[in-house]
Amino acid sequence: PLLVEQALKVCEQHLGSLRHQDIDEDSPSPCMTDTEWDHFLRNYYHVVREEAGLVLSGEQRNRCQELLQQLAEYLPQLGMEGDHNVWIIKPGAQSQGRGIICTTQLEEVLQLARGRRASLAQARDWVVQKYVERPMLIFGTKFDIRQWFLVTDWNPLTIWFYGESYLRFCSKPFSLHHLGQAQHLCNVSVQKRFKLDPDLHPQLPHDRIWSCHQFQEYLAQVGRAGVWHQVMVPTMKAVVVGALHSIQDLVGSQKGSFELYGADFLIGEDCQPWLLEINACPSMAPSSAVTRRLCASVQQDVLRVVIDRRDNPTCSTGAFELIYKQ
């Protein structure tokens, strides 16, 4: 009961901060001392790692449910975070999934960062993100979406969104009890190192790639026919525009230049897309029949936008749609 009570106090203080109730306090006092926090973490890890049981009173159970409902109003990601405490760690300025690991332990995150700092020659930045523990799965397998977009000007910001995308599947069924790359990293360059798990559903593609049209057919089969055009695509467009707005002043650009980007999205259980990262210079090397067709089409349509349209503003831009011009 003490562990639950401590968790409730911490979350109540966090909720108060989200509601700006601490705005007039000079220095809000913490709920726990450092020693109490270390003790709390040890007990917490017993629960999440060793399946120790929690003992809740009826009052505590009601407070937990009420508090979670209140937190959900302020934390849009709460529903997909899960309860396994999984975090994903990515080395900065790397590509193709190199050096990415998943962990459930704060000590492992800190040890990794400290180990890299020990040698200046190996020093690098790290990105540590809360892992999406409740993604949408297809036949029990994790996937993500590679979505292209084109920036033809940063001032005024001008964004073109590609009308087709593709899905990348993992090679093994999704499991939070196994945090290997085969189950959790959808990068083509990572998954090509693994053989397909014999337990995978037979309808999953052997080359681990689906087109967005195949995805729409699957959504229709599971009773979600309209969600692609009504929820997923509009949200991905809004996220791309918002992400580029946030770094517009930091990008050095020249007139007459352009850049093609590849955004990676994960879909939650509620069909909401979440942006994982945006890749500059996305690989255009075909790895399947789907990408062989799409990569060629994307490159051809880029030339239509940046060259043909300069002389003929009414010409076809292929599958590129102008979604934002400042």
Side-chain angles (χ1 to χ4, degrees), residues 13-37:
Q13 186 180 57
H14 185 51
L15 179 62
S17 177
L18 292 170
R19 289 172 169 171
H20 307 298
Q21 294 172 349
D22 59 346
I23 198 167
D24 293 325
E25 298 182 31
D26 293 333
S27 53
S29 55
C31 293
M32 289 185 274
T33 64
D34 290 345
T35 301
E36 289 173 330
W37 183 253

Side-chain angles (χ1 to χ4, degrees), residues 308-326:
D308 296 352
R309 192 172 177 275
R310 181 177 55 188
D311 298 324
N312 179 11
T314 62
C315 75
S316 169
T317 56
F320 274 112
E321 174 193 358
L322 179 63
I323 62 168
Y324 187 79
K325 184 163 186 179
Q326 206 163 33

Side-chain angles (χ1 to χ4, degrees), residues 108-165:
E108 188 171 352
V109 177
L110 296 175
Q111 184 179 12
L112 186 66
R114 289 168 183 156
R116 292 296 185 183
R117 289 177 190 154
S119 169
L120 289 177
Q122 292 182 327
R124 63 169 59 146
D125 293 327
W126 295 87
V127 175
V128 183
Q129 293 174 298
K130 183 65 189 70
Y131 188 73
V132 179
E133 296 183 17
R134 293 174 177 168
M136 175 185 286
L137 303 177
I138 296 179
F139 302 124
T141 305
K142 182 183 174 183
F143 67 95
D144 69 10
I145 297 175
R146 167 57 59 89
Q147 175 65 58
W148 289 288
F149 65 91
L150 178 67
V151 177
T152 53
D153 204 332
W154 283 94
N155 186 21
L157 183 58
T158 307
I159 308 169
W160 299 77
F161 191 88
Y162 204 66
E164 291 195 69
S165 53

Side-chain angles (χ1 to χ4, degrees), residues 22-205:
D22 59 346
I23 198 167
D24 293 325
E25 298 182 31
D26 293 333
S27 53
S29 55
C31 293
M32 289 185 274
T33 64
D34 290 345
T35 301
E36 289 173 330
W37 183 253
D38 289 340
H39 183 67
F40 172 82
L41 282 181
R42 284 196 297 273
N43 286 329
Y44 168 76
Y45 283 139
H46 281 305
V47 174
V48 297
R49 294 181 197 161
E50 301 168 21
E51 299 185 354
L54 287 173
V55 179
L56 283 77
S57 67
E59 179 193 3
Q60 284 181 326
R61 187 177 298 275
N62 291 335
R63 286 172 62 197
C64 286
Q65 291 174 342
E66 183 180 350
L67 186 56
L68 285 171
Q69 290 175 354
Q70 294 173 352
L71 282 169
E73 297 176 13
Y74 293 89
L75 301 174
Q77 295 181 215
L78 187 65
M80 57 82 167
E81 285 187 351
D83 56 10
H84 282 66
N85 195 44
V86 182
W87 295 78
I88 186 165
I89 310 168
K90 306 176 182 181
Q94 290 285 349
S95 61
Q96 299 180 333
R98 288 183 292 234
I100 297 178
I101 65 169
C102 293
T103 182
T104 61
Q105 302 181 46
L106 174 62
E107 310 92 87
E108 188 171 352
V109 177
L110 296 175
Q111 184 179 12
L112 186 66
R114 289 168 183 156
R116 292 296 185 183
R117 289 177 190 154
S119 169
L120 289 177
Q122 292 182 327
R124 63 169 59 146
D125 293 327
W126 295 87
V127 175
V128 183
Q129 293 174 298
K130 183 65 189 70
Y131 188 73
V132 179
E133 296 183 17
R134 293 174 177 168
M136 175 185 286
L137 303 177
I138 296 179
F139 302 124
T141 305
K142 182 183 174 183
F143 67 95
D144 69 10
I145 297 175
R146 167 57 59 89
Q147 175 65 58
W148 289 288
F149 65 91
L150 178 67
V151 177
T152 53
D153 204 332
W154 283 94
N155 186 21
L157 183 58
T158 307
I159 308 169
W160 299 77
F161 191 88
Y162 204 66
E164 291 195 69
S165 53
Y166 65 94
L167 277 63
R168 309 179 300 185
F169 287 91
C170 286
S171 301
K172 291 187 177 181
F174 181 79
S175 170
L176 291 174
H177 299 289
H178 303 281
L179 299 180
Q181 292 185 333
Q183 291 97 340
H184 297 281
L185 298 186
C186 302
N187 308 57
V188 172
S189 54
V190 171
Q191 292 303 324
K192 68 182 182 182
R193 303 200 302 261
F194 300 103
K195 293 182 179 180
L196 285 176
D197 193 289
D199 293 331
L200 283 181
H201 195 280
Q203 290 188 40
L204 287 171

Side-chain angles (χ1 to χ4, degrees), residues 138 143-148 161-169 209-220 225 228-229 232-233 236 290-291 293-294 319:
I138 296 179
F143 67 95
D144 69 10
I145 297 175
R146 167 57 59 89
Q147 175 65 58
W148 289 288
F161 191 88
Y162 204 66
E164 291 195 69
S165 53
Y166 65 94
L167 277 63
R168 309 179 300 185
F169 287 91
I209 300 292
W210 259 6
S211 70
C212 62
H213 302 295
Q214 291 171 294
F215 184 37
Q216 292 172 64
E217 291 173 4
Y218 167 80
L219 291 171
W228 175 254
H229 291 293
M232 295 179 183
V233 172
M236 288 192 289
V290 170
T291 53
R293 175 182 65 83
L294 284 178

